[in-house]
Every structure is written in structure tokens, then in C-alpha cells.
Amino acid sequence: MKTKLPALITLLAMLASPLQSQSWDIISQSGSSLSGLHFPTNQKGWVTGAGGLILNSTNGGVTWLPQTSGTNSSLYSVWFADSMNGWAVGNGGTIRHTENGGGNWSPQTSPLTSDLFSVFFISDQEGWACGSNGALIHTANGGDNWQSQPSGFGGSVVNSVFFITPLEGWAVGESGKIIHTTNGGTSWSPQNSTTSAFLNNVFFSDAENGWAVGGGGVIVHTSNGGDTWAKQDNDVPLFLASVYFVSNQQGWTVGENGFILHTTNGGEDWEEMESGVTNFLNNVFFRDAQHGWIAGFNGALLRYDPGATDASEVNQAGVSCSVSPNPASEQLVVRLELERAATVSAAIFDVAGNEVSRVLEEKFLPAGQNEFSFQTSHLASGIYFLKTKAGDRQTSTMFFVK
């Protein structure tokens, strides 16, 4: 079960100049707790989190902009079948769906009111979601209709669901439970995980090779589709929340205290990678061995791209923005660094995407450091985004008004 997210959202600054931590770029490490993470392409990705938060990136996770989810429910998981069709699930059976890359998110009806912690789609029509109280639901028409499936979990939590084909899949949860289906979920059979640990996530690289991770640093692996599972040793006795493999040999798992473990031999050996953060890391996702992302509590966002030499090459934005104090009560100071002189506009938007105040209007600023301030006392308490545009280059920085 994903840990419940706090209702109060604090600072999440999505800056265009990430800090470097070995091969992991720290995009953000403070702010709103993030749980869901998915990239259908190397450039386009989404994260979800507390209070219905949905953020979208179109440049490989370097910068992020908010999308209007239409809900205040925490969203624990997100999945896109392609760059246009996506689903996010969360508290109280909440399901949101988009057909236009997040331009609009609309509700879908769950047959259950249980919290949903994981969603997975094998195509733009067929998908599954799972959650508390043994919840396991399925759709064959893109979510127009969702129907319950028999998980056999009783009142315990189903934390994660994963399918390798439209017919074959696995789900994991409390007390080391693993279930398997070969008929799209019409029926499920238990498998022996060899552990009683709380299993939080499952991933298969093909129909034979799979891994599940969870409490106490447990990692279990199968090489025969789950007929048998065996523990894999590691030296981290901390909660592991998510696992992802790009092949049968190379994979990553993340979790408590900012831990990242990496293997290049299918999990026979796991080595720690430095994350540069101590946040609880909820989710790891890779497109291939060169492009990966991590999301976690308190706004943790990390990006893996060993081919990128520095932030300016990755972002090509030429503009970096920071704000203080954050949270703000009376006044916010903006520091804008421009790679070259430009005409700059700046405006404040709420989380619904509505412009609430215009800060700068087509003002010419020189290259280098620029600073300006504006009053925030007229703004209601909550989350806002300062969006700046310098020529055709943009940044978005989140701040909190108390």
C-alpha cells in the first residue's frame, strides 16, 4: 500500500538547472509528495501525487508543468498507453482519464470505493487497477466500463499489478501474496513468494523473468513465470517501493531514505547508487538503459541520462528561475538568470491553470542575473506557478502562499 500523502502541499520548485549526483540529476527534492510516474516516450512523461496533482514534462523530465486533474484526491499511480491516452488512480476509487495528453482529464467510474494504488494498461483499451480491500478491477474499453475481478486477497491490500500480454499478468500485496492469471484476470491463482513481507511492486521483463520488492529490503525473483520464486540478497534492510528492468539483466529498485539499488546480472548482485537525496523514493521508471526517472515524497524528482553533459545541454532553455521566500506571505522575490538578453513576460497561475496575476509584460532584460519582486498578500493560501517566458523559452516554478 502506498503511504498516504499529506493534504498540505508545500514547495516544489521545478528548476531548469538540476543538481548533479553521479548519473542522477536532482530535478527537485522538496515539495509535494509524488507517487505515480510514467513516460510513454523519452520526452513526454507524467507524475501524480497529493491533492490531485498531475505534472507533465515534454523535455525528458527536466522541467514540469501542471495539468488540471479535476480532483483533490491523491493520485497514487499513472499510466499512459501512448502519448495521448492516460489514466491516473487514487483515493476512494478515483480514476481520471485523458485522451489528449492531459489537456483534459475526465472522471471514470470505479465499481469500488477502495483506494487504488496501481494502474496498468497493456493497450489503449485494456487495463487493470488494484488497491485496498483486495480491490482488482479491469476494463476492456479504455475505462468506459470497469468491472471487479476476484483477487482472492480478501480484505488485504493489492499493491501492484503488471501484465506481460493481454492474458498473462501478476499482482502482489500484503503478507507476501503473489497471484497470477493466464486469462486476462477472469481467474487468478496464488504463487509461493517464499516471503511474508509486504510486497509493494512487481515487474516482469518477459514471460519468465520477474521481480517483486517490498518491506525490509526484500527482493524476490522468478525465472519461470512465477512457478518458483527465490529471494535475492542485498545489504539494504529498508523498505523498497518500486522495481524496473530494461532487460533480463539490468534493473533498478528504489525506496526508503533515498536508496537506489542497481543490478547488471539479473539481481544476483545489487549495488547501491548515490541518489543525492534522503527522500522516500516511491517510483522508478526507465524507457531504456539510458533514460530513467524517479519520483518520491516531498517533491523528489530525479532524472537519469548519462549521455547528457550538463543541465544547459539537456534543457536548452537558456533561462533559470528561483523564488524566495517559499512559502511566501507578503512578497515573493524572483531571480531570473538569462543566457542572453531577451524580452520577458511573467505571470502567476493557480493549480487549475487559471492566470491570476500578470507580473511582467514584455519587459526587456539583459543577459545574466535579474531580480524583481511582487506582492502575494492578495493571493489566497495555496499552490501557485510562476511562469516566465523569455523569447520562445519558458520556465515554471511552483511556490506556496500561506
Side-chain angles (χ1 to χ4, degrees), residues 117 230 257 331:
F117 299 125
N257 291 351
Q331 179 176 271

Side-chain angles (χ1 to χ4, degrees), residues 205-217:
S205 57
D206 58 30
E208 302 298 325
N209 290 277
W211 295 260
V213 299

Side-chain angles (χ1 to χ4, degrees), residues 52-377:
L53 182 69
I54 299 179
L55 300 175
N56 168 239
S57 176
T58 57
N59 59 6
V62 178
T63 57
W64 297 81
L65 294 174
Q67 294 184 336
T68 303
S69 68
T71 181
N72 292 321
S73 297
S74 291
L75 298 173
Y76 297 125
S77 181
V78 63
W79 192 274
F80 272 72
D82 51 48
S83 61
M84 303 302 287
N85 292 280
W87 295 261
V89 301
N91 269 359
T94 298
I95 305 174
R96 310 299 291 185
H97 173 236
T98 181
E99 296 178 328
N100 58 6
N104 303 99
W105 289 87
S106 57
Q108 292 185 338
T109 302
S110 170
L112 305 170
T113 58
S114 302
D115 295 341
L116 297 174
F117 299 125
S118 174
V119 62
F120 183 95
F121 271 73
I122 199 75
S123 70
D124 62 0
Q125 295 297 304
E126 191 154 21
W128 295 260
C130 62
S132 61
N133 299 314
L136 185 56
I137 60 176
H138 167 252
T139 180
N141 56 12
D144 290 341
N145 304 101
W146 289 87
Q147 295 181 332
S148 295
Q149 291 187 334
S151 69
F153 270 57
S156 60
V157 175
V158 188
N159 278 313
S160 175
V161 61
F162 188 94
F163 273 72
I164 200 73
T165 71
L167 294 178
E168 188 169 20
W170 294 260
V172 303
E174 279 189 82
S175 304
K177 291 181 180 178
I178 300 179
I179 56 175
H180 174 236
T181 182
T182 56
N183 57 15
T186 301
S187 60
W188 294 80
S189 301
Q191 294 184 335
N192 182 8
S193 68
T194 70
T195 181
S196 60
F198 188 96
L199 295 179
N200 204 62
N201 191 234
V202 62
F203 183 90
F204 273 73
S205 57
D206 58 30
E208 302 298 325
N209 290 277
W211 295 260
V213 299
V218 69
I219 304 173
V220 293
H221 168 246
T222 180
S223 58
N224 54 17
D227 289 343
T228 57
W229 290 83
K231 293 181 182 178
Q232 293 185 331
D233 293 330
N234 68 80
D235 296 325
V236 179
L238 302 174
F239 191 97
L240 296 176
S242 181
V243 61
Y244 203 98
F245 274 72
V246 295
S247 68
N248 291 343
Q249 299 300 309
Q250 188 167 11
W252 294 258
T253 182
V254 303
E256 196 175 355
N257 291 351
F259 268 95
I260 304 173
L261 297 178
H262 175 231
T263 181
T264 56
N265 58 10
E268 291 184 21
D269 301 288
W270 290 90
E271 295 185 356
E272 183 181 346
M273 295 184 75
E274 182 184 348
S275 69
V277 302
T278 58
N279 308 55
F280 188 105
L281 302 179
N282 266 325
N283 210 318
V284 59
F285 186 90
F286 272 77
R287 288 284 305 168
D288 53 50
Q290 302 300 311
H291 299 90
W293 303 265
I294 294 172
F297 280 6
N298 300 320
L301 272 174
L302 284 72
R303 179 180 186 271
Y304 181 80
D305 187 349
T309 58
D310 56 39
S312 61
E313 177 182 326
V314 175
N315 189 37
Q316 297 180 350
V319 54
S320 175
C321 180
S322 62
V323 297
S324 65
N326 201 339
S329 56
E330 299 294 330
Q331 179 176 271
L332 195 71
V333 177
V334 180
R335 294 175 180 83
L336 194 67
E337 184 171 358
L338 299 176
E339 192 175 86
R340 57 178 179 267
T343 300
V344 178
S345 297
I348 302 171
F349 293 79
D350 61 22
V351 292
N354 302 309
E355 183 177 324
V356 297
S357 182
R358 177 67 57 163
V359 180
L360 286 182
E361 186 70 59
E362 298 294 322
K363 183 176 181 179
F364 182 82
L365 296 177
Q369 283 277 4
N370 295 272
E371 183 175 304
F372 59 92
S373 63
F374 60 89
Q375 296 297 312
T376 59
S377 55

Side-chain angles (χ1 to χ4, degrees), residues 6-14 28-33 50 53 297-299 326-327 382-384 398-401:
L8 178 63
I9 302 178
T10 53
L11 165 67
L12 176 57
M14 306 302 176
S28 172
Q29 56 181 322
S30 63
S32 171
S33 288
L53 182 69
F297 280 6
N298 300 320
N326 201 339
I383 312 165
Y384 295 89
M398 185 183 287
F399 65 94
F400 180 68
V401 173

